[in-house]
Amino acid sequence: MNILFIMISTAIAAPNLVLVSVDGMRADRAGFAGAVPSPSPTLDRLAAQGLVCDAAFSQSNESLFSHAALLTGRHVSELGRPDYRRFTVPDAAVLLPEVLALYGYTTAAFVAGGHVKADYGFNQGFSVYDDAPDFGAFFHTVPTALDWIDNTALQPFFVFLHGYDTHRPYHHAGLFHHVFGAGYTGVADEMTDRSDVERILDGVFYPSFPLDHFWHQAVGETILDPAGYARIEAWAVTHPGTPLTEADRQHLRDHYDSGVLSADLQLGLFVEALKARGLWDNTLVLITADHGEDLGDHGLYNHRSTLADSATRVPLIIAGGALPKTLMGTHIPGLCSALDVVPTLLGAAAATVPAGLTGVDLLSGAPGHDVLIQEGVLPMIAVRTATHRLVVEGLPLDSPLLPLMIQAAPVEDPTFQLYDLRSDPTEQHSVLDEQRDTALALRTTLLAWLAAREASDHLGTQPLDPAFQEVLRSRGYW
């Protein structure tokens, strides 16, 4: 009887689960998505062996909002008022590790601090939440995660692994800096301050541009204001800047790709370590990102100023020995969302998905979504389909009157913009006038979603720790 029990238990052993967030990685900077030369050999191999969503998107365009959606499976406005000044993950939210813990998983997170620190509510359900390396890299978090796996974890385990390797200012700790563009000399190498790339507009660097801050209601401090990006346009009218050459712009991309390579190397070491420990065959790894990076595609070097693909299209790979063999080397053609991560990992664990989630289990054969909704940290909301994106801009997302405002506002620029991704994949020219019927149909879709969602009024109290405030301040956030 005991032998039979052991045999049955082994046959149905729950897989170990690993969720990786490469903070700030846009999809098209990976080799498997077309980047040449490829800065991502590890991701390329995993993509060839795993399940890849060819069109995956973050729910928002900023680390705090996006990770909240990634770990709960809910839109930001379903968790709390999308107010960048006050947002935290509410205690009432059900996070992925909380559910997995009910099914016998030991849970741990190894994150690189910043806007993914425990203070924002992300530690719910984790037995260990290590957020010590503020604005750090996988160089810091991978060794710590492996130490936990070796010395503390009980199987099955769930690990959340995170690093800022590709995030601005593209100078994070890693083994590489000038692996791309080693022969370059110029102004791009002088942009060492975290906020320097924020001072670029339309290919011109304004080194003296004063970045704007606002008073933070919850903690009585100041924080970098994404809305301040609009001020640089007025500044540029009366202040000279330094025009960037194509070589300068390319070198900023080289710095970014060096960050991709640094992250890729550490993730490769992590995968090989799991194999060496005999864990790979019963482990499922989901690798994605919380947002991309505009890299000047729309005039700015950031991600919070747009919901375009450059800032919200991200890699999504599912790999590991626990991936069903029938899914290895396959692709999902439809749209995938950060909201699919929770149902997918819970499905792999044979766990019940919390009620009300709209994501799908990507391992179930689901073809993806026809429509996605994205919410920005600026007053900006978008409807994305396979062929178009409708953006509604300038209306307060935290207002209960938002649906009425959208319905009443004239469908005109600049409040509404429509991009045809078939002919304009980088979203440079609105076709609102030429394709008005499409815009109206997508507005109807957005209004239907707003009517159906359960919006939350939660307002958080963000971190009070003076040491952490100083870390944020030194990085240009406070």
Side-chain angles (χ1 to χ4, degrees):
M1 181 65 69
N2 290 338
I3 294 175
L4 178 61
F5 175 77
I6 293 172
M7 291 176 62
I8 293 174
S9 297
T10 301
I12 61 173
N16 302 312
L17 301 173
V18 178
L19 172 60
V20 179
S21 172
V22 187
D23 202 299
M25 183 173 178
R26 55 186 274 174
D28 63 0
R29 298 317 304 158
F32 71 88
V36 178
S38 172
S40 57
T42 298
L43 296 185
D44 298 346
R45 286 195 299 272
L46 293 175
Q49 301 162 4
L51 173 64
V52 177
C53 181
D54 293 325
F57 294 87
S58 58
Q59 202 280 304
S60 188
N61 58 353
E62 192 270 344
S63 300
L64 174 56
F65 280 15
S66 291
H67 281 107
L70 191 69
L71 288 170
T72 64
R74 296 188 182 277
H75 289 88
V76 172
S77 60
E78 295 177 304
L79 297 169
R81 286 172 55 183
D83 180 350
Y84 189 53
R85 296 163 172 81
R86 296 289 300 274
F87 183 84
T88 59
V89 180
D91 291 341
V94 178
L95 275 67
L96 173 61
E98 293 183 280
V99 180
L100 290 173
L102 297 175
Y103 286 82
Y105 278 77
T106 54
T107 61
F110 303 91
V111 304
H115 279 159
V116 199
K117 282 185 72 72
D119 303 79
Y120 292 99
F122 288 116
N123 60 340
Q124 299 175 49
F126 286 104
S127 59
V128 171
Y129 199 89
D130 188 332
D131 56 8
D134 279 304
F135 289 100
F138 288 109
F139 178 84
H140 304 102
T141 57
V142 164
T144 313
L146 290 174
D147 180 72
W148 179 80
I149 289 172
D150 286 341
N151 297 301
T152 305
L154 299 175
Q155 296 190 58
F157 58 75
F158 167 61
V159 170
F160 174 42
L161 190 59
H162 165 263
Y164 282 107
D165 301 63
T166 66
H167 198 281
R168 66 176 180 86
Y170 327 134
H171 290 288
H172 288 284
L175 298 180
F176 307 121
H177 178 53
H178 271 158
V179 66
F180 303 105
Y184 167 88
T185 57
V187 67
D189 275 344
E190 298 171 12
M191 297 180 187
T192 56
D193 183 88
R194 180 171 182 81
S195 298
D196 276 344
V197 293
E198 303 264 11
R199 297 182 168 98
I200 299 172
L201 173 68
D202 295 334
V204 180
F205 177 44
Y206 297 92
S208 59
F209 172 63
L211 294 169
D212 197 21
H213 295 72
F214 59 73
W215 188 258
H216 194 290
Q217 298 176 20
V219 298
E221 294 283 351
T222 54
I223 192 167
L224 185 64
D225 187 358
Y229 301 142
R231 295 174 54 250
I232 197 171
E233 296 184 21
W235 179 270
V237 173
T238 55
H239 294 77
T242 302
L244 302 181
T245 66
E246 177 52 36
D248 297 329
R249 294 192 291 271
Q250 177 58 48
H251 199 62
L252 288 172
R253 293 190 289 269
D254 290 339
H255 282 188
Y256 181 87
D257 286 348
S258 293
V260 174
L261 183 58
S262 288
D264 188 86
L265 171 66
Q266 294 299 330
L267 294 178
L269 293 173
F270 182 76
V271 167
E272 292 306 311
L274 293 181
K275 292 178 179 179
R277 289 158 173 76
L279 296 171
W280 183 251
D281 288 345
N282 193 41
T283 297
L284 190 75
V285 179
L286 192 155
I287 302 171
T288 188
D290 59 334
H291 55 74
E293 189 77 351
D294 196 54
L295 295 179
D297 285 1
H298 298 88
L300 293 165
Y301 284 76
N302 204 294
H303 43 270
R304 295 179 292 174
S305 58
T306 180
L307 288 171
D309 279 11
S310 58
T312 60
R313 190 165 186 166
V314 295
L316 200 161
I317 305 167
I318 307 175
L323 180 70
K325 290 189 177 1
T326 56
L327 296 179
M328 292 182 177
T330 64
H331 294 252
I332 298 173
L335 306 180
C336 300
S337 166
L339 305 187
D340 299 328
V341 169
V342 168
T344 298
L345 293 181
L346 290 180
T352 299
V353 177
L357 300 192
T358 56
V360 300
D361 180 353
L362 299 176
L363 304 181
S364 68
H369 302 271
D370 295 326
V371 175
L372 300 178
I373 306 293
Q374 298 170 304
E375 300 164 298
V377 293
L378 295 173
M380 184 185 303
I381 190 167
V383 185
R384 175 61 156 86
T385 70
T387 60
H388 289 81
R389 175 180 275 111
L390 178 71
V391 181
V392 183
E393 191 169 354
L395 303 179
L397 300 190
D398 60 344
S399 171
L401 300 178
L402 179 63
L404 292 176
M405 295 179 189
I406 292 175
Q407 190 168 32
V411 183
E412 298 174 354
D413 287 322
T415 304
F416 290 83
Q417 300 122 49
L418 177 69
Y419 299 97
D420 189 332
L421 299 156
R422 298 166 297 183
S423 58
D424 182 22
T426 60
E427 298 167 79
Q428 301 295 325
H429 307 289
S430 176
V431 293
L432 194 64
D433 293 335
E434 298 90 332
Q435 300 185 34
R436 182 161 293 275
D437 288 346
T438 299
L440 293 173
L442 291 177
R443 183 183 67 163
T444 298
T445 299
L446 175 58
L447 289 170
W449 177 79
L450 288 168
R453 70 168 177 171
E454 294 185 8
S456 171
D457 285 331
H458 170 76
L459 280 176
T461 300
Q462 292 195 353
L464 294 170
D465 176 51
F468 180 47
Q469 288 182 4
E470 182 55 37
V471 168
L472 288 177
R473 186 181 299 110
S474 70
R475 301 306 198 276
Y477 282 94
W478 292 86

